[in-house]
Amino acid sequence: MAKGEGAESGSAAGLLPTGILQAGERPVQESKKKNQLSICNKLCYAVGGAPYQVTGCALGFFLQIYLLDVAQVDPFSASIILFVGRAWDAITDPLVGFCISKSPWTRLGRLMPWIIFSTPLAIIAYFLIWFVPDFQQGQTLWYLLFYCLFETLVTCFHVPYSALTMFISTEQSERDSATAYRMTVEVLGTVLGTAIQGQIVGQAHTPCVQDTNASTVALEGANRTQSATSLRETQNAYLLAAGVIASIYVICAVILTLGVREQREPYETQQAKAMPFFRGIRLVMSHGPYIKLIAGFLFTSLAFMLVEGNFALFCTYTLGFRNEFQNLLLAIMFSATVTIPIWQWFLTRFGKKMAVYIGISSAVPFLILVALMESNLIVTYVVAVAAGISVAAAFLLPWSMLPDVIDDFHLKQPHIHGTEPIFFSFYVFFTKFASGVSLGISTLSLDFTGYQTRGCSQPAPVKFTLKMLVTMAPIVLILIGLLLFKLYPIDEEKRRQNKKALQALREEASSSGCSDTDSTELARIL
């Protein structure tokens, strides 16, 4: 049991003296009005989530098949690129979180400068990922370098943007509402990324080799006899899609910068206390609710990442829908976009834990159906639309529940501030590292089963491996994640207690009549 976890079931609000609570309750309505966000503010904040999702969707769904069939990187080298790139991406999250925690407040805030200055470099690196160099000898190093560079720069954008949730308002309801706006736009971003990348690339037909049983030397000779013009058209299509997505990245970053302003917590300015980064890590990683939350979402996120990383190859070779997989992706993401508001209503009506159980588990029957059915396009579209409902829950719930964990931490550690980037960056670290391992292993397994680069079809072991990676493995991971969520202690009653106690803390800290002695006593009682 983590330190301090035994008291989690107690009411933080119940520990406060009645006089303090009454003093905090008097100006509640004025405080809510002051911290209320306009629709424009929420939309500008939400738009900032699109760049990460648009680029991440394009890379997640298309990078593997691009490396294998367009750049013609061998499967082993492709697995190295995917694994090292994702692993490095995971490592950069806590590193960037450390740098942000040490950043001073400026006129733009503490988080916004990171978003502004990382954007132009990120779009250059992203464009170069989709460029096929003329040399063959150093291709692996080329893609590894720019993939890692882009992931570092997009982390410098996304970690501060994720932590920004805690600084746009001090009201839980406003943060939850802004998170729902954000998740809707992020799912729209995945739809946009899928549409742009899939439809532009889909117009160019990558040449394939009919005889997949030929030896490696014969296969390479056949590849050289294919139309170089057709392959070049496919490469140019990827570059065009990269240019369009890079433009969207810049536009969204500008809207976020102009439309959102950071707010500091009142008690943070009064009780500011420098804290070493590694001590902050120890405090965060010893917070019981946080460990249980990231453990559950680690497995469920890994399940959906396995599907994402192998879906294009699965549709192309196992189901035989070479020219339909981009449309199937659109069906999934469009369904997820439509159902995000429904899940937001559901979690406010029935609670976030109930939304986790129902939303994420709803994917299991459809994954089983895909595993058992024969190749049927109509049934596949139906399954895609239904799967989008579960994808929406997987998008919304982690980012809606993390602020609740941070609020709980603030009540237990009222003198500690600046830990928000650590919470968000380590959550992303664990999920990204696990996804890197999964993508590396899945690509290596394709190599071991005899994957043929640019083949029009694949051997039966490759098709079976793809089916297992997209169906049975995610099902097992989802079930493990749901079992771990049973241990998560913050239910709706606990959230209400924390909200009341935090409101009292904020009002007491911001009150002009509050003496230093009262503030110290309040912090001691909390």
Side-chain angles (χ1 to χ4, degrees), residues 401-438:
M401 297 171 78
L402 268 174
D404 299 335
V405 172
I406 297 174
D407 284 343
D408 188 73
F409 177 83
H410 284 162
L411 283 174
K412 292 178 172 60
Q413 304 286 347
H415 287 292
I416 303 300
H417 69 90
T419 55
E420 292 85 359
I422 300 176
F423 275 100
F424 285 97
S425 62
F426 269 87
Y427 166 72
V428 179
F429 165 78
F430 286 116
T431 55
K432 285 182 177 178
F433 187 81
S435 71
V437 172
S438 69

Side-chain angles (χ1 to χ4, degrees), residues 7-17 20-21 407-412 493-502 504-505 522 525-526:
E8 284 172 2
S9 60
S11 169
L15 298 175
L16 292 171
I20 292 178
L21 281 178
D407 284 343
D408 188 73
F409 177 83
H410 284 162
L411 283 174
K412 292 178 172 60
E493 179 63 27
K494 180 71 173 178
R495 286 182 66 235
R496 284 191 291 269
Q497 294 170 359
N498 286 351
K499 179 180 179 180
K500 189 175 182 180
L502 277 173
L505 178 61
L522 176 64
I525 293 171
L526 281 170

Side-chain angles (χ1 to χ4, degrees), residues 120-321:
L121 298 175
I123 61 173
I124 295 173
Y126 179 78
F127 186 81
L128 291 175
I129 291 174
W130 302 104
F131 177 77
V132 179
D134 293 332
F135 49 86
Q136 291 287 332
Q137 189 66 29
Q139 269 196 342
T140 301
L141 182 60
W142 171 280
Y143 290 115
L144 187 59
L145 172 64
F146 287 108
Y147 187 29
C148 291
L149 179 60
F150 171 74
E151 295 294 357
T152 302
L153 293 167
V154 80
T155 297
C156 292
F157 182 103
H158 192 247
V159 168
Y161 173 73
S162 299
L164 192 61
T165 307
M166 301 302 299
F167 296 96
I168 56 176
S169 176
T170 57
E171 286 292 323
Q172 280 186 1
S173 58
E174 289 298 303
R175 293 202 304 257
D176 285 346
S177 177
T179 299
Y181 276 79
R182 171 191 167 187
M183 292 302 108
T184 302
V185 172
E186 287 196 358
V187 177
L188 281 171
T190 63
V191 173
L192 196 60
T194 303
I196 292 171
Q197 191 83 9
Q199 298 304 316
I200 292 178
V201 171
Q203 300 302 314
H205 299 286
T206 307
C208 61
V209 179
Q210 295 290 342
D211 184 13
T212 58
N213 295 317
S215 65
T216 303
V217 176
L219 184 59
E220 290 178 355
N223 283 338
R224 286 193 294 269
T225 64
Q226 295 297 315
S227 172
T229 304
S230 179
L231 183 59
R232 177 56 62 182
E233 287 177 356
T234 303
Q235 294 170 355
N236 290 337
Y238 274 97
L239 286 177
L240 176 60
V244 174
I245 288 176
S247 302
I248 294 172
Y249 193 118
V250 174
I251 293 170
C252 292
V254 171
I255 293 174
L256 172 66
T257 303
L258 297 179
V260 176
R261 184 177 180 182
E262 293 179 54
Q263 299 180 25
R264 298 185 74 173
E265 288 278 17
Y267 60 79
E268 178 182 319
T269 57
Q270 285 194 8
Q271 301 176 15
K273 179 182 177 181
M275 179 189 59
F277 179 72
F278 292 103
R279 181 176 174 237
I281 293 177
R282 287 195 300 271
L283 288 172
V284 167
M285 299 309 294
S286 64
H287 190 54
Y290 180 65
I291 295 300
K292 294 165 185 175
L293 183 71
I294 62 174
F297 278 120
L298 173 65
F299 285 94
T300 56
S301 299
L302 183 55
F304 289 101
M305 288 175 184
L306 264 179
V307 176
E308 177 189 74
N310 296 282
F311 189 79
L313 291 173
F314 174 71
C315 289
T316 301
Y317 296 117
T318 303
L319 297 181
F321 303 141

